Amino acid sequence: MHRPFTSLQIGLRLFLATYLFWLTTAVLIPALDVFGRSPAALPPTLTNLEPYHYSLRDFQWDAFRHVIQRDMLAPRSPTTSAAARRLIRTYGQQQKRIREAAVAYQLAVELQDPLGAAAARIAYRRAQTFQRENQWAFERAVQREVAGELVRAGIAKSGISVPPVWFRLAVSPLVITFSPRTVINPLASYFLRETTPLSEIEEFEAYALEHQNLSALVEPLGGVATYPATVETRFLALHMLFDTVAHEWFHNYLTLRPLGIRYLKSTSHRTLNETAATLVGEEIAKRLMLRHYRDLFVPSRDDTTAAAVVDPETEPAEIDAPTEFDFRAEMHKTRLHVDKLLAAGLVEEAEAYMERQRRRINAEGYSLRKLNQAFFAFRGTYATDPGSSSDIGAKMEELRTLSADLEDFVDTVQRFRHEGNLDQALEDARKRIGVESTG
C-alpha cells in the first residue's frame, strides 16, 4: 500500500513547486526587466560589456546557492523572537561602527595620524568579523521579522507569506542604463559586476555618448527582486534594510497577479509596480521599526543620496556630511526643467543645466557622480523618487491615504491592469469617503 505523504513532505513539495514557478515567472520575466530588457534597442557594441557583464543566470545562481548553504548548513539560531531582535540590534550597531570607523580612518589619513588610522582599521575589521560570523543568522532573523509584519498587515493571507520572505545580503551589482539624449526614456539596462573599475565605467558611458549619441549611467543597486532576493549588504540603517526586503518581496508577490504579469508591458506599468512596492516597503519597515526598534528609527527617503562611506581597506576618498538642504525638491525641480528643455529640442542646454545642478547639489554634501538623461531614466520608474516626473506617485500615495489599511491598498493595486485602473480606484475611494476629486 502506498504510504500517505507527511505534512513535511507535502510542504517541501509545495515549496519546490512554488519556487520553480516563481523562478520562471518572477525572475525570468517581469521582476528583472531593468537588467537586460530589449537588447535589440542597442547596437552590439553596447551590449558587449565583457569581462564585467553579470548575467541574470549567474546572479540568480549566486543568490540561490547562498541561501541553500545558509538554510541547510548553518545552525538555526536564534530560536526566539527576543533573541532574534537582539541579534538584529547588535548587527545594526556593528554596521554603524563600520561607518564610524571608516570616517575615523579617513580623518586620521587626512591628519597624517598613523596610530589613529591603525585603530580605526582594527575597529573596522572587528565589526566586519562579527557581521561575517553572524550574517546567516541575521538574515533569517530579518526574514522572520518582515514575514511576521506582512502577516500582521494582512498581506500574507492565512498567516503565511507566499512566496516566503527569502533574501540574502550581498554587495549588489551595478546597473548600466541607456537613454536617448533627446528624451528621458530607458532603452535598456544591464548588470555589471560590482568589481567593475571606475575607469571602465566611465569608458562605457563615454563610448555610448561619443559613438552612439546615447546617455549612459552606471549606478549601484539597493536590491534586486530575484528569488531569493538580493539586498545590499552595506545598508545605512535598519529601516532601510526592512524597507528593501519588503519591497523586493512585494515584487515577487505581484508576479502572479495582474499588475505583476504586465510589468514589461510599458513604462507606466513598471512605474505602477515599482511605486506600489515602494509604498508597501516603506510602510512595512515603518511598522516594524515603531513596533520593535522605535529608538533606532530615523526615517528618510534621501539616505541613499548621502556621500558614500569609505572602506579603510581601499584608497581614501573625500567625505562630506549633508547639510540642511531639500534634496527632493531640488531634484524634482531639476527633472521638470530638463523635461522642458528637451521638449524644446535644447539638448545641450539641458545637459549643461544638469551638470550645473549636479555641482550645486554636491556642494550641499551629496555625491552624485553624474546627472544626465540616463540618471532620470533609471530613477523615473520610481514615481515617489524626486527624479520622476510621473504623477503616478502622488496618485498612489493618495490612494494609500484613502484606503482603509495596507491590506485594502494591496488588494486594490494588485488587480491593476493599466494606469486607468489607478484613476478609477482613486475616484471610487474619494467618493466612498466623500472627498472631492482634485483631477
Side-chain angles (χ1 to χ4, degrees), residues 234-280:
R234 297 166 296 194
F235 61 90
L236 294 180
L238 278 180
H239 78 271
M240 295 180 66
L241 173 66
F242 291 141
D243 182 343
T244 306
V245 172
H247 179 114
E248 305 305 344
W249 175 86
F250 193 65
H251 279 310
N252 288 319
Y253 170 86
L254 288 176
T255 299
L256 303 183
R257 292 163 172 83
L259 180 57
I261 291 171
R262 291 162 176 79
Y263 188 94
L264 291 177
K265 195 170 183 180
S266 70
T267 299
S268 67
H269 284 86
R270 292 189 293 278
T271 302
L272 285 169
N273 194 300
E274 293 292 352
T275 306
T278 295
L279 295 179
V280 170

Side-chain angles (χ1 to χ4, degrees), residues 61-80:
W61 170 244
D62 288 344
F64 184 70
R65 180 175 52 191
H66 174 95
V67 296
I68 289 298
Q69 290 176 337
R70 179 194 72 194
D71 293 346
M72 295 295 184
L73 302 180
R76 291 197 165 273
S77 60
T79 57
T80 66

Side-chain angles (χ1 to χ4, degrees), residues 340-397:
K340 290 180 180 178
L341 291 173
L342 293 179
L346 303 175
V347 176
E348 293 182 358
E349 288 83 349
E351 291 172 340
Y353 170 71
M354 284 186 281
E355 176 58 18
R356 291 196 303 273
Q357 285 296 92
R358 185 190 71 85
R359 293 176 181 274
R360 179 173 183 272
I361 291 169
N362 285 354
E364 296 291 341
Y366 293 82
S367 57
L368 299 177
R369 185 178 63 84
K370 186 171 289 189
L371 188 60
N372 60 9
Q373 295 90 330
F375 176 96
F376 287 119
F378 179 64
R379 297 291 185 94
T381 306
Y382 303 83
T384 58
D385 188 283
S388 174
S389 60
S390 172
D391 61 355
I392 287 177
K395 292 177 182 178
M396 278 281 200
E397 288 178 327

Side-chain angles (χ1 to χ4, degrees), residues 33 66 107 205 248 262 314 393 405 421 435:
D33 159 67
H66 174 95
L107 182 60
E205 295 170 343
E248 305 305 344
R262 291 162 176 79
T314 63
D405 50 30
N421 293 146
V435 176

